[in-house]
Amino acid sequence: CVLCCCFRTFNVVGEDQFSGSAVGSQPNVAEGRWMNDAVESDGARCLDGSPALYYFRNATSSTNSTKWIMHIQGGAWCNSVENCHDRAHSRLGSSNATYGYLPKVDLRYIEGCNNSRWCGNMMVNDPVINPIAYDWNAVFLVYCDGGSFTGNNKSTTTYKGEELYF
């Protein structure tokens, strides 16, 4: 289960470790964290077998260092083996750089998100746009499993000569 593994991975930063991006018009940079250990321990994989991924931005103030905002990206279910196979070759089924997943991203510009519409302005580090959580820890959990983070199947399915992970 991608979501279960993700929750066990988070660590609260100490008050001297504030390395989140600056607020206001500065980039809203978050660091990508591929859950390689969770692949082995829990099978937390995307449809194509790549490791599950989340992005993390540290809180930018000691006052709110224990507060968290988390966005669990949507993507709908794949509804057939063929559809899941097709998704495995897209950002809805893989965490590979081929589909835009880089080591660092600006949370204001996540492809397919349109922050104010789908991800919400709660991920933006601008106090004018997001007066409540602009300086909190922020986590963006990437959707790539085709089953709304509910998959926990240890076996694979072969389709068109490729392994799919559910």
Side-chain angles (χ1 to χ4, degrees):
C1 173
V2 171
L3 188 57
C4 304
C5 297
C6 187
F7 281 118
R8 288 195 302 266
T9 305
F10 300 140
N11 294 314
V12 177
V13 296
E15 290 190 22
D16 60 339
Q17 298 177 5
F18 298 103
S19 59
S21 58
V23 296
S25 62
Q26 298 299 313
N28 195 17
V29 177
E31 179 183 326
R33 297 187 180 174
W34 283 263
M35 296 187 281
N36 295 311
D37 292 343
V39 168
E40 296 305 318
S41 64
D42 296 298
R45 298 177 188 261
C46 298
L47 282 170
D48 70 344
S50 58
L53 166 67
Y54 67 93
Y55 286 97
F56 172 72
R57 183 195 71 220
N58 281 329
T60 56
S61 77
S62 59
T63 304
N64 290 319
S65 66
T66 60
K67 295 181 180 175
W68 295 79
I69 184 71
M70 182 172 187
H71 179 76
I72 302 172
Q73 185 179 28
W77 290 29
C78 51
N79 55 15
S80 69
V81 175
E82 183 176 3
N83 180 253
C84 291
H85 176 265
D86 292 346
R87 269 181 192 243
H89 297 277
S90 76
R91 64 184 300 105
L92 292 176
S94 178
S95 66
N96 288 323
T98 304
Y99 305 110
Y101 295 116
L102 304 173
K104 293 187 181 199
V105 298
D106 188 326
L107 290 176
R108 295 176 299 174
Y109 305 109
I110 297 206
E111 187 177 332
C113 224
N114 301 332
N115 269 326
S116 61
R117 170 86 170 127
W118 299 110
C119 294
N121 285 328
M122 295 299 282
M123 300 300 283
V124 176
N125 64 343
D126 184 333
V128 174
I129 295 171
N130 179 14
I132 296 172
Y134 72 94
D135 60 349
W136 295 11
N137 294 294
V139 176
F140 180 87
L141 184 59
V142 171
Y143 180 80
C144 67
D145 74 340
S148 298
F149 304 100
T150 61
N152 198 20
N153 187 346
K154 301 290 184 195
S155 65
T156 60
T157 299
T158 303
Y159 184 75
K160 293 186 177 180
E162 296 178 21
E163 297 294 314
L164 297 175
Y165 297 81
F166 295 101

